[in-house]
Amino acid sequence: MKFLIIVCLFLVLGCNNSNTKKNAPEVKSLNVENVKILAVQLSIKGMTCTGCEQTIQTGIASINGVKQVKANFKDGKAYVSFESGVADTIQMKEKITAAGYELATIQPIPLDTLRSKL
């Protein structure tokens, strides 16, 4: 019974702590307008089939900050949109080489061009 009373007192005192709001850290919302989305065209050597496309797409899509990725083995390219400052082309190159392919070139492209490729 004493234990129950102590637990009840603890809960009452904990819930009535008026200093909680004063000590709580301020939560700032993310301003979506400050997020910069970039698009690149990656020329990749070694893709020979749709399985290669899927491997590239899965690898690059696993990078935090990548928004969209589409690979095409016929032209040996992948098209990627990503958040600047979150994802980068170094991470993409690492994923491509880890999968057994070679990144030949990286070319920035307008987002409109990317949309037409997706």
Side-chain angles (χ1 to χ4, degrees):
M1 184 68 169
K2 289 181 183 179
F3 177 73
L4 184 58
I5 294 171
I6 292 172
V7 169
C8 289
L9 285 173
F10 177 73
L11 289 174
V12 169
L13 292 174
C15 292
N16 288 331
N17 187 352
S18 62
N19 293 331
T20 303
K21 290 183 182 178
K22 292 179 184 176
N23 295 333
E26 182 181 338
V27 177
K28 296 182 180 179
S29 62
L30 174 64
N31 187 353
V32 177
E33 294 172 8
N34 290 336
V35 175
K36 186 173 182 182
I37 304 295
L38 302 176
V40 292
Q41 173 185 291
L42 307 173
S43 295
I44 302 170
K45 293 182 180 179
M47 289 195 297
T48 58
C49 64
T50 57
C52 297
E53 291 175 349
Q54 188 62 39
T55 300
I56 295 294
Q57 289 174 177
T58 302
I60 294 174
S62 71
I63 299 169
N64 188 29
V66 169
K67 297 298 181 188
Q68 294 179 314
V69 58
K70 176 70 176 164
N72 185 327
F73 81 92
K74 291 178 184 173
D75 64 4
K77 301 203 184 320
Y79 305 92
V80 184
S81 66
F82 61 98
E83 288 181 46
S84 175
V86 178
D88 60 42
T89 55
I90 294 170
Q91 294 168 314
M92 294 176 207
K93 180 179 181 179
E94 290 170 353
K95 292 289 184 177
I96 291 166
T97 55
Y101 304 94
E102 181 184 343
L103 178 61
T105 62
I106 302 168
Q107 179 181 348
I109 58 174
L111 285 173
D112 292 337
T113 302
L114 175 74
R115 289 183 188 109
S116 70
K117 301 292 184 181
L118 298 176

